[in-house]
Amino acid sequence: LKIDVEGGELAVIRGALGTLARSKGFVVVFEAHPKQVSRTGIDPMSVISLIRSVRLCSARVTEQPDADVSLEKPFFDQFAPTRVYNVCVSSD
């Protein structure tokens, strides 16, 4: 599932929770954009947490695949707030 909705990612995931729960496996990709976070007040970590509420998942930032993504910190405290990132969340 590739999501590109300019800050509406959390709403899309809310609507897709049933589909994700019923699937054998999934990959969800969305953008983490500092301007959208500033505009909406929704941290990309909230999107990852909601996806993980369905099942255990791994989260990676495609531009920095070796970086760990911690649910304990805001996204842009972990990654530079001066660029857009693609976040890939895959079921384990």
Side-chain angles (χ1 to χ4, degrees), residues 12-91:
V12 169
I13 294 302
R14 282 186 185 124
L17 283 177
T19 300
L20 294 175
R22 289 187 301 273
S23 69
K24 285 185 176 185
F26 57 79
V27 176
V28 177
V29 180
F30 66 95
E31 285 184 349
H33 195 300
K35 288 183 182 179
Q36 298 301 340
V37 171
S38 178
R39 182 180 62 80
T40 65
I42 299 172
D43 191 284
M45 299 314 296
S46 299
V47 178
I48 295 170
S49 292
L50 185 57
I51 296 169
R52 289 189 70 180
S53 73
V54 171
R55 89 173 50 137
L56 189 59
C57 297
S58 314
R60 290 282 171 232
V61 173
T62 61
E63 293 79 8
Q64 294 181 11
D66 295 330
D68 290 327
V69 179
S70 170
L71 290 175
E72 308 303 317
K73 297 183 205 174
F75 186 87
F76 287 110
D77 285 357
Q78 301 176 64
F79 298 92
T82 55
R83 62 178 295 189
V84 177
Y85 296 94
N86 289 289
V87 180
C88 180
V89 183
S90 57
S91 58

